[in-house]
Amino acid sequence: QQPVQSPQAVILREGEDAVINCSSSKALYSVHWYRQKHGEAPVFLMILLKGGEQKGHDKISASFNEKKQQSSLYLTASQLSYSGTYFCGTENSGNTPLVFGKGTRLSVIA
Amino acid sequence: GAVVSQHPSWVICKSGTSVKIECRSLDFQATTMFWYRQFPKQSLMLMATSNEGSKATYEQGVEKDKFLINHASLTLSTLTVTSAHPEDSSFYICSASPKYEQYFGPGTRLTVT
């Protein structure tokens, strides 16, 4: 079952913050976040496995709610390099193929 | 970090010919690799799960006789698009997992003329 991502697209000025959401109607085993730039393969950002988990590096962080049905990706003080399409990929059980959301197109402008 | 390579990066072929795409995990072993296809401005769609030493598991709607997958070793999986047609033109991406996270290859852009 494909997760639902929101928003579909967002435009930010450098330094602004953004939140991208990924939700499922059923509890998930894990949520994976990726960023893809035009013409390139997706790049792994982080994985969340535990309900209530939060993690991040640099100015990108993510959370996984207690029910493990919703995850959010937080981008703070955005940089031009953050531009791209962000996908969440979800697993219903371990070591199974990821099902990707439709993506959120993020554009950061100067 | 884990590195996955794909070869070739891009290929242009004539309709009716076959094309082989290789996916290698360079610094880890992967019992399972995944093949995805992505059309412009769309999400990644899983085509098949490639299992080392056994037959691949195909997603509904993906023709197994057209998209041949071979997982010859723990570091190599190949996807062969047989009798390619223009509608097969797409970005083909493989991924492999050392443990939990999946790492993607750089992708292969196939154009069938």
Side-chain angles (χ1 to χ4, degrees):
Chain A
Q1 188 176 15
Q2 187 175 38
V4 177
Q5 277 188 243
S6 63
Q8 289 184 312
V10 59
I11 300 174
L12 300 175
R13 292 194 180 276
E14 268 186 297
E16 292 181 336
D17 303 338
V19 180
I20 300 171
N21 298 305
C22 174
S23 62
S24 170
S25 58
K26 296 182 179 180
L28 300 166
Y29 178 80
S30 68
V31 175
H32 305 229
W33 284 98
Y34 292 84
R35 175 172 58 214
Q36 184 179 30
K37 293 188 179 286
H38 181 67
E40 299 178 11
V43 173
F44 173 76
L45 295 177
M46 63 188 80
I47 178 177
L48 299 123
L49 289 164
K50 301 175 184 177
E53 182 177 17
Q54 297 182 51
K55 63 168 57 172
H57 59 86
D58 292 333
K59 295 178 180 176
I60 299 176
S61 62
S63 64
F64 199 10
N65 76 344
E66 291 288 347
K67 289 186 177 180
K68 299 181 73 174
Q69 288 183 253
Q70 199 267 339
S71 176
S72 296
L73 184 72
Y74 306 93
L75 303 148
T76 58
S78 60
Q79 305 166 18
L80 294 175
S81 61
Y82 286 5
S83 293
T85 301
Y86 289 79
F87 291 99
C88 68
T90 58
E91 281 184 293
N92 292 317
S93 59
N95 203 27
T96 54
L98 294 177
V99 179
F100 287 90
K102 292 186 177 182
T104 296
R105 186 183 296 269
L106 176 72
S107 301
V108 181
I109 58 176
Chain B
V3 180
V4 177
S5 71
Q6 274 185 248
H7 178 82
S9 299
W10 57 269
V11 57
I12 301 172
C13 68
K14 291 190 181 294
S15 188
T17 60
S18 295
V19 174
K20 179 186 283 189
I21 303 170
E22 292 185 350
C23 176
R24 291 180 187 273
S25 55
L26 297 185
D27 50 4
F28 65 95
Q29 293 183 331
T31 307
T32 304
M33 292 184 176
F34 304 99
W35 286 96
Y36 295 85
R37 180 167 53 184
Q38 185 178 36
F39 292 106
K41 296 186 179 180
Q42 293 187 23
S43 187
L44 293 91
M45 298 302 296
L46 179 69
M47 297 176 67
T49 302
S50 172
N51 304 297
E52 189 268 337
S54 64
K55 292 182 179 179
T57 304
Y58 290 82
E59 295 300 299
Q60 195 171 12
V62 178
E63 299 174 56
K64 60 180 68 176
D65 293 332
K66 181 171 182 61
F67 299 99
L68 301 178
I69 291 173
N70 183 270
H71 198 141
S73 73
L74 289 171
T75 59
L76 173 64
S77 175
T78 60
L79 168 69
T80 301
V81 183
T82 62
S83 187
H85 290 283
E87 57 266 29
D88 298 325
S89 298
S90 188
F91 193 47
Y92 291 85
I93 312 173
C94 70
S95 73
S97 177
K99 194 174 182 182
Y100 296 118
E101 62 274 24
Q102 286 191 28
Y103 292 93
F104 285 84
T108 297
R109 187 165 300 283
L110 171 64
T111 304
V112 186
T113 60

